[in-house]
Amino acid sequence: MDLRRLAATAAAAAALTMSSPAATAAPGGLDPAFGNAGIARIQGPAGADAAIAVAIDAQGRVVTVGYADNGSYNAVAITRHRADGTLDPTFNGTGTRVLTGTLTGTAYAVAIDAAGRILVGGIHQAAPVVIRLLADGSNDPAYGTGGIAPAPGTNIYPQAIAIDAAGRAVFTGSITNGYNVARLNADGTPDNTFGGAGFATTNMGTGEDYPYAIAIDSAGRILVAGLARNGATYEAAVARFLPDGTLDAAFNGTGKYLTPAANEMALGLAVDSADRPVLAIVPVSGDASMIARRLTAAGVADGTFGTGGRASFPVGTSGSSRAVSVDSAGRIVLAGTGAGGNNNNALVMARLLANGALDPSFGTGGKAIAAEAGKSFICNAMTLDRAGRLVAVGRINRTNEQNTDFGLIRRLADGGADAAFAGGQFVATGLALIGGSIAAVAPQADGKVAFAGVLYDGGFTYYHFMVGRLGADGAPDETFGPMGLRVTPFPTDSSQATGVAIDSVGRIVAVGEARGEGDAPAVAVRRYLPDGTPDPGFGTDGLVTHLPTPGGIYVQGVAIDLLDRIVVVGAKSGPSQDMLV
C-alpha cells in the first residue's frame, strides 16, 4: 500500500468533511450551508456516452437516447431538454435517466406517440427490447412487462423505430443477414397480423444486409433503408412492406430497390408528401461529399431529382449525409459530420429544393457548418421541429479529452445559429458518472473551493489528472468547466493531480504526476485562469511537464510564494526516495 497516497487522500477528505453531521454550524461540526449537510459529493463526467437518436414531443421538448458508460458496460440512456436547451426536471427529476442493469445496453431509436409516451428501441440487459416511458420518465406499466417489451423473433433488434396510425411500434434491425421488420401492439405484445408472428424478413442482396432507417408513408406502407451486399459491391437498399408485412410488388416490381454497383449505403430515410422515399447516402469509400437520392413512389430512381435521382455536393473540406428530413415546403434537409478545423469534427448541413438543387436561402449557398473551438461533434441523427428548425444529436467531446457526452444542437430554419437554444451552442450532457478521488483542496477568497485529484476512465484502467471547483454552497461550479471539472488526459499513461493552490490573481495551479519516459513519474504543472480555461501565458496551453531525475519524482504538494512562483514538493522515485523541492 502506498502510505503517501493514502495520507494525501485522507488529508483532502478531512478538509471537506470534519465530523458527524450537526444541525447548526457548531465549532468542529459540518457546515449545513455547504453541499448536503456539510458534505459535497463531486461526480465525474461520463465515460464514452453518445446520443444516437432524437425525437421532439408536442411541447417542443427534445428527447435523445443512446448509451452511457457505466464502467464495465454500456447502459440505455435517455435525456429530455426543454425548448430552451436546458434539461427538463419534470423528466425523472433531473432530465436524464440511465436504465440500471448488470448486462450491456444501448438505445438506438426513439419515437413519441400521440399520448406523449416515449418509445425507446434497443438492447437492454443484452436483449432486444422496446421500452415505453410515461411523460415523467417512468416505465409504463401498461406496456409489456413493467414497461419493457421483448422483440419478436430471434433475429431482430430495434435499430430504427416508427409509430403507425394505430399507435403500434414498427421497427427494423438485424442481428444477422436480411431486412427484418417487426410490429408490436399498443400494449407491447407482438402483432400477429403482421407477418404471421409479429415480424417479417426479406433478403436484399447476396451477402449481408443492414437496415438502418424506417418510415411509414401516407398509405401505411413501411419503408426500410440501409445497406445490401452483392459480391464485392455495397449498395444502398430500400424495401417497402404492405401493412400486413408482405413485400409491396407495386414498389419496383419486387418490393425492393438497390443502387447497382454504387458502393453506397443509406443511413437516413424520409418520405415526402408524394410518398417518395428520400435517402441520406454515405459512400462506402472514396467520395467525401454529402449525397441524397430520391425514388418515385413506384420505387425507381426519380429523374426529376438531381442527376438520375442523385444529388451530390461537398460541404467544407469534407462532409457526409447521416440523416435526412423533408420540411413542410417539400425541401430536403440533410445533416452529417464534416471537418470543423483543428482536427475536430463539426455538424454539416444542407438544404435542397425539390429538384435536388441547393437552396440559396439556407446557410451560404444552401450549406452550413456548426463548429465550436475546442469541441468535436459526431452527428448520429437529426429531425426538424414544427418551426422547421434542425435538431441534431450525436456525441461530443472537448479537444484532447477522452470522455464523450450526449451532444445536442438546434439551428434556425435558415441554417443559422439559434440563440434561443443554449445560446446557439452545442449542449453536452454527461450521464454515467465515473469515479475518482480528491487529493488536495484550496479555498478561494470568494468562498469557492478548488480541488485536485484523479478521475478514472470508463473501464477503471487508467486515471487522469483532474482539477475542479465548487461554489461557496458546495455545488459544482459550472463557470469553471462542465460539471465543475477540468480533466487533462496524458497520452502515454495514467496521470494524477496531487496538489492545488491559488495565486495572487486568482489563478488555480495544480501539480501532480504524468508518466514519462520509461514509466518514470514526471512533474506536471497546469495553471488555469479563474474561469477554468488553461492559462495561455504558462507553458504550452497552460501545461508544463518536467522530469528532474532519470527515475522521476512523486509529487506531494504545491505552494505559491509572494512573487507567484510555484514551489513543488515531493520525493525522488526509487529506493532512496530523497525529499525534493
Side-chain angles (χ1 to χ4, degrees):
M1 177 182 296
D2 191 335
L3 295 180
R4 295 175 293 102
R5 295 286 180 271
L6 183 60
T9 302
L16 287 176
T17 61
M18 295 299 297
S19 63
S20 59
T24 60
L30 292 171
D31 182 355
F34 183 80
N36 183 9
I39 300 175
R41 180 171 179 257
I42 298 103
Q43 296 179 312
D49 301 344
I52 297 177
V54 60
I56 301 175
D57 70 11
Q59 299 181 46
R61 298 175 298 193
V62 180
V63 178
T64 66
V65 303
Y67 61 85
D69 183 351
N70 271 341
S72 57
Y73 60 90
N74 290 335
V76 170
I78 309 106
T79 72
R80 190 168 71 198
H81 289 75
R82 292 178 290 204
D84 63 357
T86 58
L87 285 167
D88 181 5
T90 67
F91 180 84
N92 198 41
T94 61
T96 68
R97 185 177 175 200
V98 178
L99 271 64
T100 58
T102 58
L103 299 173
T104 191
T106 295
Y108 295 102
V110 63
I112 300 172
D113 69 13
R117 296 170 299 198
I118 301 165
L119 285 96
V120 180
I123 304 294
H124 176 56
Q125 289 289 79
V129 298
V130 175
I131 304 161
R132 193 167 73 188
L133 306 178
L134 299 175
D136 64 2
S138 62
N139 284 24
D140 183 356
Y143 194 78
T145 301
I148 301 176
T154 59
N155 192 34
I156 184 168
Y157 73 94
Q159 172 80 27
I161 193 168
I163 298 175
D164 71 8
R168 297 171 297 196
V170 184
F171 56 90
T172 187
S174 296
I175 296 173
T176 58
N177 293 347
Y179 273 21
N180 296 289
V181 183
R183 191 169 68 201
L184 301 179
N185 293 313
D187 63 357
T189 57
D191 181 359
N192 293 330
T193 68
F194 185 83
F199 65 94
T201 301
T202 188
N203 291 320
M204 299 296 290
T206 59
E208 62 267 29
D209 304 320
Y210 299 103
Y212 295 119
I214 194 168
I216 300 174
D217 71 11
S218 65
R221 297 170 298 198
I222 300 161
L223 291 106
V224 177
L227 166 71
R229 183 171 182 173
N230 277 319
T233 302
Y234 293 93
E235 301 173 1
V238 182
R240 191 168 74 189
F241 296 84
L242 296 172
D244 65 359
T246 58
L247 284 168
D248 183 3
F251 188 79
N252 199 32
T254 60
K256 309 173 188 180
Y257 173 87
L258 284 77
T259 55
N263 267 327
E264 296 176 344
M265 56 183 169
L267 294 184
L269 168 66
V271 178
D272 69 10
S273 60
D275 284 338
R276 295 175 296 195
V278 183
L279 308 175
I281 297 292
V282 174
V284 173
S285 62
D287 194 351
S289 298
M290 299 190 82
I291 303 169
R293 285 184 179 271
R294 191 172 71 196
L295 309 180
T296 68
V300 298
D302 185 351
T304 67
F305 180 82
T307 301
R310 184 180 187 270
S312 174
F313 44 88
V315 177
T317 57
S318 66
S320 63
S321 304
R322 177 63 180 83
V324 62
S325 291
V326 179
D327 71 12
S328 59
R331 297 169 300 195
I332 296 165
V333 181
L334 297 167
T337 303
N342 297 320
N343 295 318
N344 287 330
N345 293 306
L347 171 67
V348 294
M349 302 157 280
R351 191 166 71 195
L352 308 181
L353 300 173
N355 64 359
L358 287 164
D359 180 359
S361 67
F362 182 86
T364 301
K367 313 172 192 177
I369 300 175
E372 288 182 29
K375 295 181 180 178
S376 186
F377 177 77
I378 300 291
C379 178
N380 285 329
M382 177 271 294
T383 190
L384 302 178
D385 69 8
R386 292 185 177 183
R389 296 173 297 200
L390 180 152
V391 179
V393 301
R395 73 175 189 265
I396 191 167
N397 66 283
R398 296 157 194 89
T399 304
N400 297 326
E401 292 190 7
Q402 293 178 338
N403 62 285
T404 61
D405 296 332
F406 271 42
L408 167 66
I409 192 170
R410 191 176 74 193
R411 303 286 289 188
L412 296 174
D414 65 1
D418 186 353
F421 191 86
Q425 304 297 304
F426 286 99
V427 177
T429 305
L431 290 108
L433 303 176
I434 304 304
S437 65
I438 297 173
V441 295
Q444 296 185 174
D446 58 2
K448 294 182 178 181
V449 178
F451 59 88
V454 299
L455 187 73
Y456 300 111
D457 68 6
F460 293 89
T461 305
Y462 297 101
Y463 45 90
H464 304 297
F465 190 104
M466 174 192 70
V467 183
R469 190 168 67 196
L470 303 176
D473 61 356
D477 183 2
E478 292 280 347
T479 67
F480 182 75
M483 304 181 74
L485 299 175
R486 291 283 180 172
V487 180
T488 304
F490 289 83
T492 53
D493 206 335
S494 293
S495 58
Q496 59 184 328
T498 55
V500 64
I502 313 295
D503 72 9
S504 65
V505 294
R507 295 173 298 198
I508 297 171
V509 177
V511 303
E513 302 161 10
R515 294 289 165 175
E517 190 173 336
D519 203 37
V523 176
V525 183
R526 193 153 208 188
R527 192 167 74 188
Y528 297 88
L529 299 177
D531 65 359
T533 56
D535 184 354
F538 185 82
T540 301
D541 194 26
L543 176 66
V544 171
T545 58
H546 181 52
L547 190 64
T549 71
I553 180 173
Y554 292 119
V555 178
Q556 293 297 320
V558 62
I560 309 288
D561 72 9
L562 294 177
L563 299 178
D564 279 339
R565 293 178 296 193
I566 300 165
V567 182
V568 180
V569 298
K572 176 183 176 183
S573 176
S576 63
Q577 291 199 355
D578 296 333
M579 293 182 288
L580 294 177
V581 178

